[in-house]
Amino acid sequence: MQSPDPMPVLIFDLDDTILSCNSFPLWTLFLMTGRLRGVGARRRALLSLRAASLLLRRKIGRLSHDEFQRCLQAAWQAANAGRGPDLASHFEAMLLGRVRANMRPCLDLMVERQLDAVLATAAAADYAEAFGRRLGFRHVLATRSGRSAGEPSNSGTMKRQRVVAFLDDIGWCGRPLILFTDHIDDLPLIQACGVVCWFGSAESLPVVNAMAEDTRFIQCRDMTDEQLLATCNALCGCPPVGALSAITAS
C-alpha cells in the first residue's frame, strides 16, 4: 500500500471565507435585474419575473432554501440554453471584487506552488465552477444544476461525502486536510479535517470547537494578508523565516 502523502490538501469554502460576503443573495439579485449579455429582452424579462416570484415564495415560507436555489438554477439554465459558457462572466467579475483582501496572497500561493486544493461550496455550480477556475482552482465541488426535488445542495453531510469521494477518486485519500471555512454548517467536514482556518466570528468558534475537539482551529478572519500568508506557508510545510510565529492556535 502506498504511504500517505505528507503534503496537505487544502479545502476552501467560498461564501464568507474566500469572499467577504454570501454570493447567493447577489446571484439572486443578478438574475432579477437581468444583466445578461447576449440574451434577448424577452428571455431576460422572463428570468427576472421568475426569480422575483421564487424570492417571494421563499420569503413567505413556501420554499426551503435548497428548493429556492434549485428552482433558480433551473430558471438560469432555461435562460442560458444555447448560450456560451461566459454568460455569467459579468457576475464572476463582480465577485472578484468581493474576495477578502487577506485571502488573495494565499490564493496566489496556491497557484504559484501548484498546491493540491479543492473549492467545496454550497454555491450554485452555474457560476461557482467558472469562478473557482478564475481564482486558480483546478477542482471545484459545487451544487450541481439539474437536481431533482428534495436532492440536497452541496452543504453539510453532502459536502463531506462529496469531498471524501473526490479525494478517494483522485488518490488523495489519507493525506492531511486543512479546511478554510466560516460556518458551523460545515461541521461534518470540519470533523474530518486536522486543521481548520476559521473565518467565522470569534463568538462562534468555542461552539464549533467543542463539537470538533480533535480538530485544531486557527482564527484567521482578522489576520493581515502577511499573517495569513505566513500561516498558509507554515501549514503547508514550507514556512518562510518567521512564519511559524504567525500561527495562533485556539
Side-chain angles (χ1 to χ4, degrees):
M1 180 181 295
Q2 185 178 1
S3 60
D5 191 328
M7 287 298 293
V9 177
L10 309 181
I11 305 169
F12 290 81
D13 183 35
L14 178 63
D15 294 326
D16 293 306
T17 300
I18 289 178
L19 298 178
S20 60
C21 62
N22 186 337
S23 65
F24 184 66
L26 297 179
W27 190 54
T28 303
L29 182 61
F30 177 74
L31 299 188
M32 289 176 59
T33 54
R35 298 175 182 176
L36 305 176
R37 298 172 181 174
V39 177
R42 181 177 180 276
R43 187 163 292 193
R44 289 201 308 270
L46 289 174
L47 175 61
S48 179
L49 289 173
R50 178 61 174 159
S53 174
L54 290 170
L55 178 60
L56 176 60
R57 293 177 63 194
R58 170 61 178 154
K59 291 292 187 182
I60 63 176
R62 296 288 182 87
L63 290 177
S64 67
H65 179 273
D66 276 7
E67 188 65 8
F68 178 38
Q69 184 187 39
R70 187 186 73 83
C71 292
L72 279 180
Q73 288 181 280
W76 166 257
Q77 289 299 321
N80 193 27
R83 269 69 182 176
D86 62 343
L87 190 59
S89 58
H90 176 68
F91 180 65
E92 294 160 20
M94 181 182 68
L95 289 183
L96 284 175
R98 303 296 184 100
V99 174
R100 288 184 186 273
N102 63 351
M103 184 64 79
R104 292 180 184 275
C106 289
L107 296 174
D108 292 340
L109 176 74
M110 175 190 74
V111 174
E112 291 167 5
R113 297 192 179 175
Q114 296 186 329
L115 301 176
D116 292 331
V118 182
L119 177 60
T121 175
D126 308 75
Y127 63 87
E129 289 181 347
F131 182 65
R133 289 191 290 271
R134 281 199 185 201
L135 295 176
F137 287 94
R138 292 170 291 165
H139 310 290
V140 180
L141 303 177
T143 298
R144 73 178 188 88
S145 299
R147 288 179 293 146
S148 58
E151 182 179 343
S153 63
N154 190 49
S155 62
T157 301
M158 176 59 70
K159 182 191 280 194
R160 172 175 172 153
Q161 291 174 350
R162 289 192 65 197
V163 168
V164 170
F166 171 79
L167 296 177
D168 186 52
D169 288 343
I170 204 172
W172 292 353
C173 188
R175 292 171 57 178
L177 303 180
I178 299 172
L179 175 65
F180 295 74
T181 188
D182 72 293
H183 206 279
I184 199 170
D185 284 355
D186 276 335
L187 181 61
L189 185 55
I190 287 170
Q191 292 171 332
C193 296
V195 177
V196 169
C197 292
W198 184 249
F199 286 83
S201 67
E203 293 77 15
S204 62
L205 181 53
V207 177
V208 67
N209 197 358
M211 291 185 283
E213 294 180 349
D214 294 331
T215 301
R216 177 190 179 193
F217 288 83
I218 302 173
Q219 176 61 269
C220 295
R221 181 174 182 171
D222 297 324
M223 284 186 177
T224 66
D225 52 354
E226 292 88 355
Q227 289 172 331
L228 186 54
L229 179 60
T231 298
C232 292
N233 267 305
L235 290 172
C236 291
C238 45
V241 175
L244 289 174
S245 63
I247 299 182
T248 55
S250 63

